[in-house]
Amino acid sequence: FSESGLVVWHHPQWSLFFDVGEVGPDYQPGHAHADTLSFELSWKGERLFIDPGAYSYDRDPRREYDRSTAAHNTVCIDGQNSTEVWDIFRVGRRARPRLVEASFTDSGCEAAAGHDGFDHLPGKPHHFRRLRASESGITLIDHIGGEGDHHASAGLLLAPGWTATPVSRGWIVSKPGKRLRVVLNSHQPLKLRTETALCHPEYGRELETLRLVWDARYDQSF
């Protein structure tokens, strides 16, 4: 969907939504979240990786969390939001997508994009993401580029009801009758952890769930 910047692929096993567009219209971006290159995924009719949602339009920590890059299924660099969101409906500097591509076949899809949301940081670190989907599974490739010393972190927010068990190079995520493996490979050492997180599936409703998180430190040009 080129006008909204959303790549959508449905299959009997998977449903995928990948955000490669602008955060919102330039004339009214107040509802924007700093969620560029985030995605949502369902498996066999069950929501798996989800968006944090929106609890309310109050000026409080919940609103800050719901709009933050760190709450979404994308990469956060140096603890910064990819788009400058503040107050309740304020947006400053905005991440602009670049190098966007998407292709579809009868058996899958492949889409990719980067953005300039971290170009203001020293060394201009940047995030480029490629996502491949087929019946056999989903492959997510993140490239973090730039110069200097940076900290990169990313996570996957699980839908409530899923459990996560740490295993070598990732996690087993499961619920009654369903079981999947999340595997991570990296050129840089990764620190993996599972943390408690919040999601807001409806206005005014808050649920506790889990977030799968990886962290990496880059202390040289890369």
Side-chain angles (χ1 to χ4, degrees):
F1 295 91
S2 58
E3 291 186 359
S4 63
L6 199 63
V7 176
V8 180
W9 181 69
H10 292 300
H11 179 272
Q13 290 245 77
W14 306 96
S15 288
L16 170 70
F17 299 83
F18 182 28
D19 185 357
V20 298
E22 302 281 351
V23 297
D26 284 338
Y27 59 84
Q28 176 50 281
H31 286 275
H33 291 194
D35 59 355
T36 305
L37 306 189
S38 187
F39 73 101
E40 293 190 62
L41 184 67
S42 296
W43 181 57
K44 294 185 176 180
E46 295 274 0
R47 299 192 72 195
L48 178 62
F49 302 134
I50 61 172
D51 186 88
Y55 181 83
S56 72
Y57 295 147
D58 297 323
R59 188 179 292 105
D60 61 17
R62 284 193 181 99
R63 181 69 174 156
E64 293 177 12
Y65 167 81
D66 287 337
R67 301 182 81 197
S68 70
T69 299
H72 290 83
N73 300 325
T74 187
V75 173
C76 183
I77 297 180
D78 294 341
Q80 300 293 306
N81 286 328
S82 55
T83 287
E84 186 183 10
V85 291
W86 55 283
D87 202 75
I88 305 176
F89 296 111
R90 297 296 185 180
V91 178
R93 171 192 41 77
R94 301 162 201 181
R96 302 289 185 180
R98 53 192 177 193
L99 303 175
V100 178
E101 59 183 82
S103 61
F104 299 85
T105 66
D106 290 340
S107 59
C109 80
E110 181 167 343
H115 68 82
D116 63 0
F118 301 118
D119 280 10
H120 66 288
L121 298 174
K124 292 188 174 182
H126 54 266
H127 174 212
F128 183 85
R129 169 168 281 183
R130 182 172 298 277
L131 200 155
R132 299 186 181 114
S134 67
E135 181 177 2
S136 60
I138 309 296
T139 300
L140 192 65
I141 302 171
D142 286 319
H143 175 77
I144 313 299
E147 298 288 334
D149 181 10
H150 297 283
H151 170 255
S153 179
L156 299 170
L157 186 65
L158 284 169
W162 290 89
T163 62
T165 303
V167 295
S168 175
R169 296 187 297 123
W171 299 267
I172 298 292
V173 295
S174 61
K175 64 191 313 184
K178 292 183 169 61
R179 178 183 171 95
L180 289 168
R181 181 158 186 171
V182 179
V183 179
L184 283 79
N185 295 296
S186 175
H187 297 298
Q188 296 284 344
L190 295 179
K191 294 182 179 180
L192 308 184
R193 68 181 189 274
T194 306
E195 63 184 27
T196 301
L198 299 175
C199 68
H200 301 127
E202 299 173 11
Y203 198 74
R205 186 180 178 207
E206 184 167 82
L207 298 176
E208 191 173 276
T209 186
L210 296 175
R211 183 174 174 83
L212 313 179
V213 182
W214 63 257
D215 291 279
R217 192 81 203 180
Y218 298 89
D219 57 3
Q220 58 185 348
S221 297
F222 55 94

